[in-house]
Amino acid sequence: MDHFMRVAIDEARQGLAEGGIPIGSVLVHRGVLLGRGRNRRVQLGSAVLHGEIDALDNAGRHEASVYRESVLYTTLSPCAMCSGAILLFGIPKVVIGENQTFMGEEALLRSRGVEVDVVQSPECIDMMQAFIAASPALWHEDIGK
Amino acid sequence: MDHFMRVAIDEARQGLAEGGIPIGSVLVHRGVLLGRGRNRRVQLGSAVLHGEIDALDNAGRHEASVYRESVLYTTLSPCAMCSGAILLFGIPKVVIGENQTFMGEEALLRSRGVEVDVVQSPECIDMMQAFIAASPALWHEDIGK
């Protein structure tokens, strides 16, 4: 498995160990990790700190040119907010752990020229499906359902 | 002017006084203010705390049913990330201070059934245009340009 997807999964597992929703993400610029994060709805009582938003936040401030040479890794297909962040910053490529449990805005991303690479990792699928089976209300809260 | 747009403008002006980007936002549920926020890129070194994201964050965690009866106010047309957050949570209406300085993803929002009400407030326009004239690099950083 790609090293950076491994880091994203490690973030997701850390979130799970904290009692959180197991979704992790990493922002990578030209092969260098800029920021890593995980969903922290439970840990920080935050509705907006999805894994991707947390990774972008932890990466700090950058000029547009940095994002335009970056790749965002995420263990789960990105929701509308996180896909919107990808579009806002002009991140040209996203690598997704899986989209079987949840299908985010991949079609919108592709329609705007973003390269979308879905790994369909059994580890990511098992992790999310076990979590949702155990905590369906928390999962629905996170995706506004 | 609508009371809640007034609060959003007050948030924007507070951000400006802090050296930040003057965009404010308020989340309102059935006439009750749930959260207020402002762009805090400069203040917290955050790439993701746009006004709308900050307001949603400050509102705390809510079930989907709350968002579906809420209105988001923002002083400036919402970017792709903030529009995505509106779609994620199923917020049915957004009231926008102005879209002359920056046109966000209003067409996407409308295409998904969100009611988009643009006030075109001269106060909002003047505030943003004066800010951008004074700090063009910071503004471009905020919108990934």
Side-chain angles (χ1 to χ4, degrees), chain B residues 68-88:
Chain B
R68 288 178 196 283
E69 295 176 333
S70 293
V71 178
L72 188 73
Y73 291 76
T74 175
T75 57
L76 185 67
S77 186
C79 79
M81 173 176 65
C82 297
S83 296
I86 291 164
L87 295 176
L88 167 65

Side-chain angles (χ1 to χ4, degrees), chain A residues 11 17 23-24 38 49 60 66 95 114 119 126 139 142-143:
Chain A
E11 284 285 330
I23 305 169
R38 57 191 176 275
L49 280 180
V66 172
V95 181
V114 177
V119 176
D126 291 349
W139 168 241
D142 200 53
I143 56 169

Side-chain angles (χ1 to χ4, degrees), chain A residues 39 41 46-54 56 72 77-89 102 104-105 108-109 141-144, chain B residues 48-49 52-54 56-57 67 79-90 108 112:
Chain A
N39 187 302
R41 170 176 289 274
S46 171
V48 300
L49 280 180
H50 280 194
E52 300 91 328
I53 300 293
D54 193 43
L56 287 163
L72 187 74
S77 186
C79 79
M81 173 177 64
C82 298
S83 296
I86 292 164
L87 295 176
L88 167 65
F89 292 116
F102 173 77
E105 295 279 352
L108 176 65
L109 289 171
E141 183 190 312
D142 200 53
I143 56 169
Chain B
V48 300
L49 279 180
E52 300 90 327
I53 299 293
D54 193 43
L56 287 162
D57 200 20
Y67 296 104
C79 79
M81 173 176 65
C82 297
S83 296
I86 291 164
L87 295 176
L88 167 65
F89 293 116
L108 176 65
R112 302 285 183 95

